[in-house]
């Protein structure tokens, strides 16, 4: 582990020299709002829902679809490291850590809800139960406003005039990620957004939505599971009633190729349609209790 005195923010290594298309993409688009690309997959959810119910029945602990998507996203980035990247100096760098960020609803002091983030690092190295336990701990802390770093950051942001907010965020992103400076010594969090963000549209009752990338976070991959719905499906050529979920994806086309996104989505879809194959029987996930991670 690096000493805090080195003030290096993230452990990164350069990617191989880019191919012709990637060089064109890097030269064409300057902001992550420009090259946003979108995809969606339809996932059969009968086995995933049964897996969640079996886990709850055997352990008394509650997992959700969002936990499954977040955890398998981390596993997918471990298998497909070319999608685990960060853009700095207009060049992709490979991340060595796999961090998963989930958007969380935080009750407001005035009665209005706010959104914040809960991030679990090295998520690919955790079991499903350990990941859910770690995410639950992070969610509880941010919802109860016990995370001193996040709360300090919010108080500081309130002091910035609206017309200067964009400049302040770009400056912070430049220091954090382009210069790769660890700012914990001045009270800023370490890598607060991770490699991939997950936001549950289903908890809002939405079946499908394409969520915008947030440039200052430098997160190039965003997943949005929708509500599980009942609709006609074909099983071995026979029409039946099935449970289906749309999982949408937004990615930064400057740094992630469509083939890598397709591989990540295929991995996630396969795990959701065969959760026992991905994580073992439901009672083997014993260990972490968690509530619905939130929405965005």
């Amino acid at each position: 582990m690096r000493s805090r005195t080195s003030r290096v923010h993230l452990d990164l290594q350069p990617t191989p020299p880019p191919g012709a298309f990637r060089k064109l993409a890097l030269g064409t688009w300057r902001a992550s709002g420009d090259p946003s690309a979108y995809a969606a997959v339809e996932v059969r959810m009968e086995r995933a829902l049964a897996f969640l119910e079996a886990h709850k029945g055997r352990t008394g602990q509650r997992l959700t679809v969002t936990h499954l998507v977040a955890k398998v996203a981390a596993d997918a980035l471990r298998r497909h490291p070319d999608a685990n990247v960060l853009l700095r100096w207009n060049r992709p760098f490979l991340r060595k850590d796999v961090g998963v960020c989930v958007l969380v609803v935080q009750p407001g002091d005035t009665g209005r809800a706010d959104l914040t983030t809960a991030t679990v690092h090295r998520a690919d190295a955790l079991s499903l139960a350990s990941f859910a336990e770690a995410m639950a701990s992070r969610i509880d802390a941010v919802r109860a406003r016990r995370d001193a770093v996040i709360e300090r950051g919010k108080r500081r942001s309130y002091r910035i005039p609206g017309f200067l907010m964009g400049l302040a965020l770009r400056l912070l992103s430049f220091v954090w990620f382009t210069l790769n400076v660890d700012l914990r010594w001045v009270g800023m969090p370490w890598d607060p957004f991770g490699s991939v963000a997950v936001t549950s549209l289903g908890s809002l009752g939405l079946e499908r939505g394409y969520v915008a990338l947030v440039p200052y976070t430098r997160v190039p991959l965003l997943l949005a599971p929708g509500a599980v719905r009942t609709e006609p499906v074909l099983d071995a050529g026979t029409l039946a009633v099935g449970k289906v979920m749309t999982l949408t994806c937004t990615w930064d086309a400057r740094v992630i190729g469509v083939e890598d996104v397709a591989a990540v989505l295929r991995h996630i879809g396969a795990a959701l349609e065969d959760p026992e194959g991905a994580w073992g029987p439901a009672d083997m996930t014993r260990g972490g209790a968690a509530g619905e991670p939130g929405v965005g």
Side-chain angles (χ1 to χ4, degrees):
M1 180 179 295
R2 295 180 185 273
S3 67
R4 295 183 62 175
T5 57
S6 69
R7 296 184 181 176
V8 173
H9 187 207
L10 304 177
D11 195 0
L12 303 169
Q13 67 183 49
T15 60
F21 176 80
R22 189 67 52 228
K23 289 187 72 173
L24 286 172
L26 289 166
T28 299
W29 293 303
R30 290 298 179 183
S32 61
D34 299 333
S36 294
Y38 308 93
V41 291
E42 304 292 323
V43 184
R44 292 285 299 273
M45 293 296 291
E46 293 89 352
R47 293 180 67 177
L49 295 177
F51 179 86
L52 296 174
E53 284 299 315
H55 174 83
K56 182 178 179 181
R58 292 174 183 174
T59 68
Q61 300 164 346
R62 181 171 177 260
L63 297 176
T64 69
V65 170
T66 308
H67 287 110
L68 298 186
V69 171
K71 171 55 180 156
V72 73
D75 298 339
L77 291 184
R78 181 187 69 244
R79 289 174 175 260
H80 305 283
D82 286 346
N84 187 22
V85 294
L86 182 143
L87 186 68
R88 58 189 300 258
W89 302 117
N90 206 39
R91 179 180 177 183
F93 280 71
L94 296 176
R95 284 178 170 270
K96 296 186 179 181
D97 174 75
V98 178
V100 179
C101 172
V102 172
L103 271 67
V104 178
V105 171
Q106 183 185 58
D109 296 332
T110 61
R112 294 188 62 183
D114 198 0
L115 284 177
T116 187
T117 58
T119 302
V120 172
H121 291 282
R122 292 178 288 280
D124 59 315
L126 300 174
S127 67
L128 177 60
S130 297
F131 172 79
E133 187 175 76
M135 185 59 73
S137 176
R138 293 292 305 128
I139 289 170
D140 288 345
V142 298
R143 280 184 171 161
R145 300 180 182 275
R146 294 196 305 269
D147 189 304
V149 175
I150 288 179
E151 295 306 309
R152 186 187 305 116
K154 285 187 173 184
R155 289 193 298 269
R156 288 173 175 170
S157 69
Y158 294 150
R159 301 190 187 104
I160 300 173
F163 70 93
L164 291 178
M165 183 59 74
L167 177 62
L169 291 176
R170 289 192 296 272
L171 177 60
L172 180 60
S173 181
F174 177 79
V175 176
W176 254 337
F177 302 120
T178 301
L179 298 182
N180 198 22
V181 175
D182 186 346
L183 294 177
R184 283 178 289 185
W185 62 285
V186 293
M188 299 300 292
W190 177 81
D191 196 16
F193 310 110
S195 311
V196 57
V198 179
T199 178
S200 174
L201 298 179
S203 58
L204 290 172
L206 299 176
E207 294 182 356
R208 180 193 300 260
Y210 294 92
V211 183
L213 294 174
V214 183
Y216 80 89
T217 68
R218 304 284 179 99
V219 176
L221 185 64
L222 197 153
L223 301 170
V228 177
R229 61 190 186 274
T230 302
E231 65 177 40
V233 297
L234 281 176
D235 277 331
T238 302
L239 192 63
V241 177
K243 297 290 186 180
V244 180
M245 183 187 75
T246 300
L247 175 66
T248 63
C249 174
T250 307
W251 76 94
D252 187 339
R254 296 173 301 175
V255 293
I256 305 180
V258 66
E259 66 282 358
D260 294 315
V261 172
V264 167
L265 291 178
R266 284 196 299 269
H267 182 90
I268 295 173
L272 293 176
E273 292 186 348
D274 182 18
E276 292 84 3
W279 296 296
D283 57 352
M284 297 298 291
T285 64
R286 182 186 301 271
E292 176 64 42
V295 300

